[in-house]
Amino acid sequence: MELRLKRHPLNPLLAPVPEHLWENKFVFNCAVVYDGELFHLLYRAQGVDMVSRIGYAVSTDGVRFNRFEKPVFSPAVSDELYGVEDPRITKIEDTYYMLYTAYSPKGPRVALSSTKNFITWKRYGVVIKDEINNKDAALFPEKINGKYVMLHRFEPDIWLAFSDDLVNWGNYVSIAGPRKGYWDNLKIGAGAPPIKTPYGWLLLYHGVEEAPRPIYRLGFMLLDLNNPTKVIKRSEEPILEPEEEWEIFGGVPNVVFSDAMVEYNGQYYVYYGAADNYIALATIEVEEVMKWCKS
């Protein structure tokens, strides 16, 4: 049984805004959470200086968003000299934690910030301090065996890290890597924060195929509830791949890349960046995914 996401007919949902110098080139790769009333969307944007900042938009239906005119999170320290990128949001108790890529001459590093209102933020800085490029980080929404758990990416694999306090991380372990002969044969990375199901942790991830211009697609993994280092199953075929013109041509061609999956009205809403130009939405029935999980 293979799964496929369905694109929303109003795609793309968000595009660059010509009169906003900070987001007039590209808008893409967003985090989304639903609080029971509103969808909160935090998205990466680039403007004339090509420095990545994070904008904010809200919606009552998950499709039609109202955007703030100015970014809500911008580079503030030397580790973010080139930008703050690709946010992923997880709610733990009453606080929203945002893992993001802090990009500087040192390369990409995993950094953490938190908020309760999406406007004011507490910064914790780079939290995986090894001098190695790292990104694609997402938090599990609860402790597992008494530890906080983070997905991250030492290329080309998806790794886990563990912590007692969300700030100091260690015990890194690789859980999955590229597959020779598959659509994800070059590198892989975590997408949205994992969702707990009766069958395991459902992880949306991106896989990259080696090509003259690498192709980014999306798939699912299912991780063991009590031992998330164990992969129970993984998409044989991609659930979404670049097909529309605006997904194939853009700032970075041949890309669908997601940081956000929200359960709403019996569906999973998957928000994705398209060719680093736009933000779009694709959906799938939760029941259909649960059949795949238990098959």
Side-chain angles (χ1 to χ4, degrees):
M1 168 183 189
E2 294 302 323
L3 303 173
R4 295 289 289 185
L5 301 184
K6 180 181 178 182
R7 290 171 176 80
H8 196 278
L10 294 183
N11 278 342
L13 303 187
L14 274 72
V17 180
E19 58 268 29
H20 295 172
L21 295 182
W22 64 277
E23 60 171 346
N24 63 3
K25 297 292 186 183
F26 309 110
V27 297
F28 53 119
N29 301 0
C30 62
V32 183
V33 290
Y34 178 61
D35 67 7
E37 294 184 355
L38 292 174
F39 290 80
H40 303 272
L41 184 149
L42 295 157
Y43 62 96
R44 178 179 170 188
Q46 290 179 315
V48 290
D49 61 5
M50 292 303 290
V51 171
S52 292
R53 297 172 177 86
I54 294 175
Y56 175 55
V58 294
S59 171
T60 57
D61 64 3
V63 177
R64 299 162 182 85
F65 283 88
N66 293 315
R67 295 155 76 164
F68 279 34
E69 291 190 1
K70 295 181 179 180
V72 294
F73 196 84
S74 297
V77 295
S78 60
D79 284 330
E80 301 168 353
L81 190 62
Y82 295 160
V84 290
E85 305 178 351
D86 301 349
R88 292 168 175 87
I89 289 277
T90 301
K91 188 178 184 183
I92 300 177
E93 297 177 351
D94 64 346
T95 301
Y96 293 98
Y97 290 91
M98 179 175 73
L99 285 169
Y100 63 98
T101 302
Y103 190 38
S104 75
K106 299 176 184 177
R109 299 288 188 271
V110 172
L112 177 68
S113 190
S114 67
T115 187
K116 293 188 177 182
N117 58 19
F118 303 99
I119 306 300
T120 56
W121 296 85
K122 178 180 178 181
R123 272 179 158 87
Y124 303 87
V126 172
V127 290
I128 295 187
K129 304 184 186 303
D130 299 67
E131 294 300 314
I132 185 172
N133 291 350
N134 197 345
K135 59 195 313 184
D136 297 334
L139 285 173
F140 284 71
E142 62 184 57
K143 288 183 176 181
I144 302 174
N145 300 321
K147 299 284 187 180
Y148 294 106
V149 186
M150 179 203 297
L151 295 144
H152 62 113
R153 205 273 300 281
F154 291 139
E155 195 170 313
D157 293 359
I158 293 175
W159 292 65
L160 292 185
F162 299 86
S163 174
D164 292 317
D165 60 6
L166 290 170
V167 176
N168 299 286
W169 294 85
N171 299 325
Y172 309 149
V173 57
S174 171
I175 64 167
R179 296 177 291 184
K180 186 176 181 180
Y182 279 77
W183 56 274
D184 52 5
N185 63 14
L186 182 62
K187 58 183 177 180
I188 62 173
I195 292 176
K196 192 175 188 179
T197 79
Y199 311 102
W201 292 102
L202 180 65
L203 174 64
L204 179 72
Y205 80 100
H206 65 264
V208 185
E209 181 182 1
E210 189 170 10
R213 288 305 298 256
I215 304 167
Y216 283 70
R217 301 180 176 94
L218 299 179
F220 282 134
M221 283 186 199
L222 191 66
L223 309 179
D224 187 86
L225 283 177
N226 297 313
N227 179 15
T229 66
K230 179 183 177 183
V231 178
I232 298 171
K233 67 184 307 184
R234 183 168 165 182
S235 295
E236 292 289 309
E237 301 292 338
I239 61 172
L240 189 72
E241 57 189 319
E243 293 175 343
E244 299 292 335
E245 182 178 348
W246 43 272
E247 297 167 343
I248 296 171
F249 301 100
V252 180
N254 293 326
V255 171
V256 293
F257 185 100
S258 178
D259 297 345
M261 183 168 68
V262 174
E263 185 174 346
Y264 179 67
N265 281 353
Q267 296 187 91
Y268 288 126
Y269 279 31
V270 175
Y271 297 87
Y272 65 97
D276 283 14
N277 271 23
Y278 300 102
I279 291 170
L281 171 63
T283 62
I284 191 169
E285 296 289 332
V286 172
E287 183 179 358
E288 188 179 354
V289 179
M290 292 304 100
K291 288 179 181 178
W292 175 84
C293 288
K294 66 183 179 181
S295 65

